Amino acid sequence: MFRRIGLIALLGCLAVGAVVVSHQIGHQADTKALLAQRIALGKQLFNNPHLSADGKVRCASCHMPEKDYTDGRQVAVGVNGRTGTRNTPSLMTLADAQETSFFWDGRRSALDQAVLDPLTNPVEMGLHDRAELLQHVQQDPAYAPAFERAFPEAKPAISSEHIAAALVDYVRSLRSPESAYDRHAAHNDKTALSPRALLGLALFQGKGRCAECHRLEGTPAMLTDHTYHRTGVGLDAITTNLPTLTEEVIKRSLQGGAVGNRVATHADEAQLGRFNITQDPADIGLFRTPSLRDVSHTAPYMHDGSVATLDDAIDREVYYRSLQAGHPLQLSVEERENLKAFLQSL
Ligand code: HEC
Ligand code: HEC
């Protein structure tokens, strides 16, 4: 008798368990399907030029898929041909580097804010405000069903939060294929790196000290330390009027207004880097360590795009970083080639 009750109870548990499991699997499938809808919607928004003031600029005008989501320009060119002050970073590194601060000066700590900023930046997409963004999206009849599919439980489905969420899911879905270095690091594939690149790796970790900031931890390697450092790039041009410049920044920041709009329209203030966010003199000229993933495809280099080639970028980094660390480093031509071969494997 007891045994039979036990058996029934056991069967009952199994049945409940099966329902829970199938419910979970169903839920996972739902989430996956929803994510796919959001990524598709994000991609549509990313490629829509009508979300800009002159109807010509879309996210993909600067983050071009064929250029690893950069634009190959020194600094970005937005609505009505206006130029900004910063080099366009690749978006393919964001997910792998597990970035938690965004833009060269880290002025945003949430990606859902970072993806909306370009839309109202006066030299990028140039819309007045989020209300104008909503109007443009609502006017296009194709969007209503796409938003309802992507956000089925929300009313209204079209909102700036949902525009941001779809863009975030799309941007996070952009990942570069496995690199030679990934194969070397993750699968211990001894043939993945050329002998030259292996020597370059030893330099990168060893006397070059590159890995102190472009860190090799993580799978795939993050290639950044998520913090800010001075480069010397661009600072020479502003040292003479530094006091006036820093006063201006402090004055303007007291008036409020978006930091991103200010740095994109004032080339010399943009060179102050992290100082624009913290107003701490110790942060003058500090920039976020960029991930070096796909770095051989993302020229020109540095926050202001002032370094044209990978060779020049390596030369500058070897020179300035070793000088800063107090161990000036001379690399032979051969060693520089090795370092370059390693960077090309990333
Ligand atoms: C006119 C060119 C241009 C357009 C258009 C543009 N961007 Fe960018 N994007 C840039 C530049 C330049 C930066 C770096 C700005 C800075 O750091 O001050 C950037 C930075 C970013 C970042 C931060 C990346 C990082 O590594 O921190 C994200 C995310 C981003 N853009 C997404 C978008 C999205 C989404 C759109 C469309 C809604 C868009 N961008 C439109 C030029 C552009
Ligand atoms: C102290 C930290 C630090 C060290 C050490 C360091 N870097 Fe960097 N690296 C940075 C920062 C910060 C930037 C961005 C500077 C800027 O934009 O002004 C950068 C930029 C770069 C860039 C340009 C990337 C781009 O997308 O624009 C390359 C290439 C590079 N570093 C390679 C190296 C190499 C090679 C070494 C070793 C010789 C090295 N770095 C050592 C912090 C560091």
Side-chain angles (χ1 to χ4, degrees), residues 195-318:
R196 205 181 251 298
L198 280 171
L199 291 171
L201 168 59
L203 267 172
F204 193 85
Q205 285 180 294
K207 73 174 178 185
R209 297 177 168 219
C210 314
E212 281 177 17
C213 299
H214 301 288
R215 306 192 72 93
L216 293 174
E217 288 91 344
T219 312
M222 287 188 230
L223 298 160
T224 169
D225 55 359
H226 301 291
T227 175
Y228 306 89
H229 303 277
R230 190 164 291 121
T231 330
V233 173
L235 262 186
D236 318 349
I238 56 163
T239 37
T240 45
N241 68 341
L242 206 51
T244 340
L245 210 54
T246 47
E247 255 171 56
E248 286 286 308
V249 168
I250 292 170
K251 211 165 27 177
R252 268 200 262 261
S253 77
L254 290 175
Q255 292 161 356
V259 182
N261 296 358
R262 208 175 68 217
V263 299
T265 48
H266 293 80
D268 40 7
E269 286 185 25
Q271 296 290 13
L272 295 171
R274 187 82 184 136
F275 175 80
N276 283 301
I277 322 312
T278 62
Q279 276 109 52
D280 179 348
D283 287 342
I284 291 176
L286 267 57
F287 290 92
R288 191 185 73 190
T289 308
S291 160
L292 299 182
R293 202 172 169 81
D294 295 319
V295 72
S296 57
H297 304 286
T298 62
Y301 299 103
M302 309 299 172
H303 64 274
D304 57 359
S306 61
V307 176
T309 65
L310 187 56
D311 290 294
D312 290 346
I314 295 173
D315 282 352
R316 280 202 84 104
E317 287 292 279
V318 169

Side-chain angles (χ1 to χ4, degrees), residues 45-46 51 57-63 71 73 75-79 82 84-91 93-94 99 101-107 111 114-119 121 123-125 167-168 170-171 260 263-264 288 303:
L45 293 162
F46 196 84
L51 307 181
V57 180
R58 42 200 188 117
C59 309
S61 308
C62 301
H63 301 286
D71 54 13
R73 298 190 175 107
V75 291
V77 180
V79 283
R82 291 195 202 129
T85 57
R86 298 246 166 106
N87 181 247
T88 306
S90 166
L91 301 179
T93 60
L94 288 175
E99 245 6 302
S101 69
F102 304 95
F103 302 114
W104 283 99
D105 46 26
R107 62 180 175 267
L111 188 53
V115 292
L116 291 182
D117 286 351
L119 291 151
N121 188 305
V123 297
E124 292 181 349
M125 296 169 80
L167 283 169
V168 165
Y170 175 61
V171 165
V263 299
R288 191 185 73 190
H303 64 274

Side-chain angles (χ1 to χ4, degrees), residues 179-185 188-195 197-198 345:
S179 69
Y181 179 69
D182 292 338
R183 287 200 300 282
H184 168 88
N188 205 12
D189 176 348
K190 297 277 183 256
T191 59
L193 294 185
S194 66
L198 280 171
S345 81

